[in-house]
Amino acid sequence: PSPSAGLPDYEYLELYNTKDYPIVITNWRLKFADKECLLGVDTIPSQGYILLCSTGAKESLTAYGKVLGVSNFPSLTNTGGNLEIESGIGEVIDQINYSDIWYKSAEKSEGGWSLERIDPMNTCSTFGNWTSSLSTTGGTPGLKN
């Protein structure tokens, strides 16, 4: 998130529920590199968003919508890495192995800009379905990308 383009100086992940019903994410696991953390009790509303962040960032991000503070939230690298969300029974919900070339901008890849999935119905995690945020604040947490 640094240097910030306008959003609070905290890392976050945004999950979007494409379904017509709420999804319970209790006991889901977030994995990044060699770190793993357990998500608390919560639900993503139908056609809605939830932001995942560190417990210390929760208060600063609540202005952008529903937020779940996560203990041991991993530090996400701008250069890339493998990120995975698993259900409580170990089913992979979504997975991405992102790279800094996905920003499609040398300036934005330096920090302060979020990577955003262009089409949420296309879960293929490839270069073509991701880009750096077009928002002047560096991201669109809780809003359509």
Side-chain angles (χ1 to χ4, degrees):
S2 295
S4 173
L7 293 174
D9 198 7
Y10 292 104
E11 294 182 332
Y12 66 90
L13 290 174
E14 175 186 78
L15 301 183
Y16 175 65
N17 177 1
T18 62
K19 305 298 183 189
D20 292 328
Y21 51 86
I23 296 177
V24 177
I25 62 171
T26 303
N27 293 325
W28 280 20
R29 296 185 184 284
L30 172 62
K31 297 179 177 183
F32 183 72
D34 61 348
K35 285 196 160 193
E36 181 177 315
C37 55
L38 188 64
L39 305 187
V41 177
D42 219 320
T43 303
I44 309 173
S46 169
Q47 306 293 316
Y49 301 88
I50 192 167
L51 302 177
L52 307 178
C53 62
S54 67
T55 53
K58 182 177 178 178
E59 186 176 324
S60 295
L61 293 171
T62 56
Y64 301 96
K66 187 169 186 167
V67 179
L68 177 62
V70 179
S71 296
N72 300 318
F73 188 78
S75 179
L76 305 171
T77 61
N78 290 346
T79 56
N82 191 54
L83 184 61
E84 185 174 287
I85 305 262
E86 286 185 359
S87 72
I89 60 171
E91 177 185 25
V92 175
I93 302 299
D94 205 350
Q95 181 274 337
I96 180 173
N97 191 5
Y98 70 95
S99 168
D100 58 352
I101 65 169
W102 289 17
Y103 286 96
K104 300 173 183 133
S105 163
E107 176 188 345
K108 290 180 178 181
S109 69
E110 294 297 318
W113 299 86
S114 66
L115 278 175
E116 298 182 337
R117 181 177 271 162
I118 297 166
D119 177 1
M121 301 307 287
N122 178 0
T123 58
C124 183
S125 296
T126 61
F127 172 82
N129 199 33
W130 291 84
T131 193
S132 55
S133 178
L134 300 176
S135 171
T136 57
T137 62
T140 56
L143 300 171
K144 183 178 178 180
N145 294 344

